[in-house]
Structures are given as structure tokens and as C-alpha cells.
């Protein structure tokens, strides 16, 4: 593996005459080879390549397969040239530069043991790339193709044929993917645990029905901004994926309380729920959810404009593990709801972040109710008109390390009095 930004660095063994004759160095005599190999395991790619040029013995140690199971090339945004490399031991690699088709085919042929591959943002990735993966990388488990916008259903069909062990797939923002690609994928990859479909705007309920029918191991599902999905498809997910722990449907404005009921009845292990901008959700649905999903840790309820203090009361009673809660733009929330939250079981040792931006009914009294939340690390208070500097100062006396994000408009200076000469700022003069 030769890197253009580091001329002369070659991963494959170079001629021995390139090395100094230091095999009898004191360090090689004093330290056993196993210990030196362990030391080398902590080095980055560049340092390993430099060590490989020190001596014959160090060359063997530096290029040992155990040091090349994971490679992260995100820091090197340059094209690379793949030669006859010893890459068969690599199982985990991340790249973020432009890969030509011929280069990627060579890469996949030489990395047949690859299990984790991150191609996030590689704009030259196409269906042909996934065909190469399908043909040469049958052990692939984790694949990140986020923002590889050229891939289509053909990529998912290829992966389904050649990568049956796939457990995690990220195709966020791949907006050419439809239900046909999802159907092919899930039918042949029953072990899928994490599926990231954020921004796949063509997906409809039919795609979700295929996921619910064929992915019983699913733990994480991200459907953010998949605006065409409705209750019908998501209910199928809930009924078929009982191990679900993380669900993001933020920006899916068609969903209703029926989803919260389905989650409560079928997914008791749920830990993360993101439903920002789902304006049809109400206290009724969140009551069912809270009473059945006691392991909830993170909830994003931003712009769930219909919820009231009733939701906070239920969360404070039934969700003792709650750590992060976003209530921004929930304009019906009052100090009383925060009071219940601040006295609930999650308050003292769990609650770390609470976001209350644009909650007009929140006052300094809410800050008083949060003083006993000893783990509280951050609170968002932008555009909370009834919050004052004095209230924030009192909160900080109890929680000195808390990060408070708030904004107070500067006071308008009084008009100048006396004197006949008009005063203008320099900007006005220039204008």
C-alpha cells in the first residue's frame, strides 16, 4: 500500500538493502519478540511503516498481520495506489477519499477477510463497487455507505447475494433505494441488527413490512426524514422486531399515537426514541409508552407540540433510567412538569441533559426544581423568555459544572441626552 503523501512508504516488504543493519541492537536483545510485537500494536499506520524500515527484524514485526486488522485512513484525503500488498489479515478499514472502480476491485480481491468497511461519503462508490464486495468479501458484517448517493437497489441485491453475514448497514441519504432493494437485502441477511435509512425518501410502508417480516434480530433502526412512512409500516416493525432498542422517526410527520402504543406493547427493551417534529403525538401515546418501556434512556420530543406536563409525569414515574430529554418547542410544558421530573427516580443520578429551548411557560422555578439533579451536565434554555440571569446563577451555585446554554438580548442603550450634535455610529456614517 503506497501512499502518495508519504513517498517511499510501502506496506509490502521492501528489499532488505533498504534497512540498516541494526538487528543486534540492544532493544532487540533485551526485549522478547512478543513484547515488541505488543508495543507495535499501539502504533498508527505511518509509524508502523517507518518502523518496518528500521531493520529486518522490525520489518517482520511491523508487518505482522495482527497489526493490520484495522486501518483508519480518514486522515489521509488522497488517492492511493494498491500494489501486491499483504492485506489478507485486515478485517476493519475506513476510507474517505475517492476510489476508482479498478482500485476498489483490487482492494476487495486482496481484503477477503474484511468484516468492517466504512465508505461514508465516498462519492465514486457505485453499484459496481457493491458487486465487487459481493464477489470477494463474504465475511463482511458492518458496511457504511452513507451519502454514497450513486448506489441503487442493484447494490442491495448484490450485497444480499454475496454478504449473508451482514449485521449493520448504513445507506443514509442514498435516496435512489426503494422497497425492492430493501426486500432483497432483508430476505438474504436475516442477521441484520442495525439499519440506518436516514434520508431514504423513496421508502414507503411496504419496505418497512419487509423489515418487520425478516429482521427479528433488529436492534437499531433510523428512518429520519423518511416522510412517506405511516403507522401501518411502523406497526409491522414493532410486531416483528421485539428486540428493538433504538428507533429514530424524526421528521416522519404522518405517524400518530398508534406507534407509541405498538412500541409499548411489543418493544419493552426500547432505550432510545427520537420523534422530533412528529406533531400528532400526544400525552395518551406517551403514557402507554412510559408504562411499558422502563429502560428508556434518551428521548427526543422536540416539536411534539401537543404534549403537556402529563407526559413528563408519566416519564418521571415509570422511566428511572432517563438520561437525555429534549422538549424544545414543546410550548405547553410548564414548571409543574419539570417539578415532577426533578423529583422522579431518574433525577438524582441519571438525568444528564435536558433541552427546553422555546418553552415559553418555563420560568426560574423550573431551575429550582432541577437543583437536585446532581448528574445534570447541560441544559438548553434558548428563547425561554421567563428565565433570568439570576435564576441561572442560583442553579450554578448547586451545580457548578453545568453547561447552561441561554441567550439574553443586549439591553438597548438609552437615547443620548443634551447637545445639539447628532450622534451616529461609524456604520451609519459609511452608509
Amino acid at each position: 500500500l503506497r501512499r502518495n503523501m508519504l513517498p517511499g512508504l510501502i506496506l509490502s516488504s521492501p528489499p532488505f538493502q533498504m534497512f540498516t543493519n541494526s538487528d543486534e541492537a540492544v532493544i532487540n536483545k533485551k526485549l522478547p519478540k512478543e513484547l515488541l510485537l505488543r508495543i507495535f500494536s499501539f502504533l498508527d499506520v505511518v509509524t508502523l511503516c517507518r518502523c518496518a524500515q528500521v531493520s529486518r527484524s522490525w520489518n517482520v514485526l511491523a508487518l505482522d498481520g495482527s497489526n493490520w486488522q484495522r486501518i483508519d485512513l480518514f486522515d489521509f484525503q488522497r488517492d492511493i495506489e494498491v500494489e501486491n500488498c499483504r492485506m489478507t489479515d485486515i478485517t476493519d478499514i475506513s476510507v474517505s477519499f475517492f476510489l476508482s472502480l479498478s482500485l476498489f476491485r483490487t482492494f476487495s480481491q486482496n481484503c477477503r477477510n474484511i468484516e468492517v468497511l466504512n465508505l461514508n461519503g465516498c462519492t465514486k462508490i457505485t453499484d459496481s463497487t457493491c458487486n465487487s464486495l459481493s464477489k470477494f468479501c463474504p465475511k463482511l458484517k458492518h458496511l457504511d455507505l452513507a451519502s454514497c448517493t450513486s448506489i441503487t437497489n442493484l447494490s442491495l441485491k448484490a450485497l444480499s447475494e454475496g454478504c449473508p453475514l451482514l449485521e449493520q448497514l448504513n445507506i443514509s441519504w442514498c435516496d435512489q433505494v426503494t422497497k425492492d432493494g430493501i426486500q432483497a437485502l432483508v430476505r438474504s441477511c436475516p442477521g441484520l441488527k442495525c439499519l440506518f435509512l436516514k434520508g431514504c425518501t423513496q421508502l414507503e410502508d411496504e419496505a418497512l413490512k419487509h423489515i418487520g417480516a425478516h429482521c427479528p434480530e433488529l436492534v437499531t433502526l433510523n428512518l429520519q426524514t423518511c416522510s412517506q412512512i405511516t403507522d401501518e409500516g411502523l406497526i409491522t416493525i414493532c410486531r416483528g422486531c421485539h428486540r428493538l432498542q433504538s428507533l429514530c422517526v424524526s421528521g416522519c410527520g404522518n405517524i400518530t399515537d398508534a406507534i407509541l402504543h405498538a412500541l409499548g406493547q411489543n418493544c419493552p427493551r426500547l432505550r432510545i426514541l427520537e420523534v422530533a417534529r412528529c406533531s400528532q403525538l400526544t400525552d395518551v401515546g406517551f403514557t402507554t409508552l412510559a408504562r411499558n418501556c422502563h429502560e428508556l434512556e434518551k428521548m427526543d420530543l422536540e416539536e411534539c407540540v401537543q404534549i403537556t406536563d402529563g407526559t413528563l409525569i408519566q416519564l418521571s414515574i415509570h422511566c428511572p433510567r432517563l438520561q437525555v430529554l429534549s422538549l424544545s418547542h414543546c410550548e405547553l410544558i410548564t414548571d409543574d412538569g419539570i417539578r415532577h421530573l426533578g423529583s422522579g427516580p431518574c433525577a438524582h443520578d441519571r438525568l444528564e441533559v435536558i433541552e427546553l429551548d422555546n418553552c415559553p411557560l418555563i420560568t426560574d422555578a423550573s431551575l429550582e426544581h432541577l437543583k437536585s439533579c446532581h448528574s445534570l451536565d447541560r441544559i438548553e434554555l434558548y428563547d425561554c423568555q421567563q428565565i433570568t440571569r439570576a435564576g441561572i446563577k442560583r442553579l450554578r451555585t448547586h451545580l457548578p459544572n453545568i453547561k447552561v446554554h441561554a441567550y439574553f438580548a443586549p439591553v438597548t442603550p438609552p437615547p443620548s441626552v443634551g447637545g445639539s450634535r447628532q450622534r451616529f455610529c461609524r456604520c451609519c456614517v459609511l452608509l
Side-chain angles (χ1 to χ4, degrees), residues 33-287:
K33 295 295 186 291
E34 294 78 10
L35 183 54
L36 282 170
L37 186 60
R38 175 63 173 164
I39 294 172
F40 280 19
S41 70
F42 292 97
L43 302 180
D44 57 50
V45 173
V46 175
T47 309
L48 273 174
C49 292
R50 287 172 177 164
C51 288
Q53 299 183 69
V54 171
S55 68
R56 295 182 181 181
S57 58
W58 277 32
N59 177 263
V60 173
L61 292 171
L63 299 182
D64 187 90
S66 63
N67 293 324
W68 297 93
Q69 294 183 7
R70 176 181 175 84
I71 303 179
D72 189 345
L73 301 176
F74 269 99
D75 291 333
F76 309 106
Q77 307 283 335
R78 297 278 304 265
D79 285 344
I80 62 172
E81 178 185 350
V82 180
E83 296 182 339
N84 295 321
C85 314
R86 298 189 312 206
M87 303 177 72
T88 54
D89 292 302
I90 298 176
T91 61
D92 187 336
I93 188 165
S94 300
V95 295
S96 66
F97 34 75
F98 300 116
L99 291 172
S100 66
L101 176 59
S102 59
L103 172 61
F104 195 89
R105 184 180 294 113
T106 304
F107 160 79
S108 57
Q109 289 174 348
N110 285 278
C111 295
R112 296 178 183 239
N113 289 325
I114 197 75
E115 296 179 5
V116 179
L117 179 60
N118 186 347
L119 298 172
N120 189 315
C122 294
T123 56
K124 289 190 177 180
I125 296 300
T126 66
D127 294 332
S128 297
T129 305
C130 292
N131 283 329
S132 294
L133 287 174
S134 173
K135 185 176 181 180
F136 300 112
C137 303
K139 297 182 180 180
L140 193 63
K141 293 183 179 180
H142 294 188
L143 177 61
D144 190 343
L145 295 172
S147 299
C148 299
T149 53
S150 295
I151 72 168
T152 70
N153 291 333
L154 295 177
S155 289
L156 300 191
K157 292 176 181 177
L159 292 172
S160 69
E161 295 169 358
C163 305
L165 303 181
L166 206 60
E167 296 179 358
Q168 178 172 312
L169 177 65
N170 188 347
I171 52 172
S172 296
W173 310 113
C174 299
D175 54 7
Q176 297 189 61
V177 171
T178 70
K179 63 180 176 62
D180 295 332
I182 297 297
Q183 179 181 13
L185 177 76
V186 298
R187 283 186 171 180
S188 299
C189 301
L192 274 172
K193 296 180 179 179
C194 301
L195 196 51
F196 299 89
L197 305 174
K198 178 179 179 180
C200 295
T201 53
Q202 293 198 56
L203 295 185
E204 300 173 332
D205 289 334
E206 287 300 315
L208 304 193
K209 291 178 181 179
H210 293 307
I211 296 172
H214 298 285
C215 299
E217 303 295 320
L218 197 66
V219 173
T220 299
L221 178 62
N222 190 319
L223 296 166
Q224 183 174 338
T225 68
C226 296
S227 55
Q228 297 192 61
I229 65 174
T230 70
D231 293 344
E232 184 180 1
L234 282 171
I235 289 174
T236 306
I237 294 286
C238 296
R239 291 175 177 172
C241 307
H242 298 290
R243 300 186 180 186
L244 197 65
Q245 295 183 20
S246 176
L247 175 65
C248 176
V249 288
S250 294
C252 301
N254 295 321
I255 67 174
T256 71
D257 284 343
I259 298 307
L260 302 181
H261 291 303
L263 285 169
Q265 294 166 2
N266 297 282
C267 304
R269 301 182 186 182
L270 193 67
R271 295 189 300 108
I272 299 173
L273 178 63
E274 300 179 28
V275 289
R277 305 182 301 286
C278 297
S279 58
Q280 298 188 59
L281 303 181
T282 72
D283 292 337
V284 176
F286 283 111
T287 296

Side-chain angles (χ1 to χ4, degrees), residues 397-415:
T397 60
H398 295 271
L399 304 172
N401 297 320
I402 191 172
K403 301 179 185 69
V404 180
H405 296 164
Y407 173 76
F408 297 95
V411 178
T412 303

Side-chain angles (χ1 to χ4, degrees), residues 282-306:
T282 72
D283 292 337
V284 176
F286 283 111
T287 296
T288 301
L289 182 77
R291 289 179 176 177
N292 292 278
C293 297
H294 306 300
E295 297 184 18
L296 280 166
E297 297 176 359
K298 177 182 178 182
M299 297 186 71
D300 185 353
L301 311 184
E302 181 174 348
E303 292 188 42
C304 292
V305 293
Q306 295 194 52

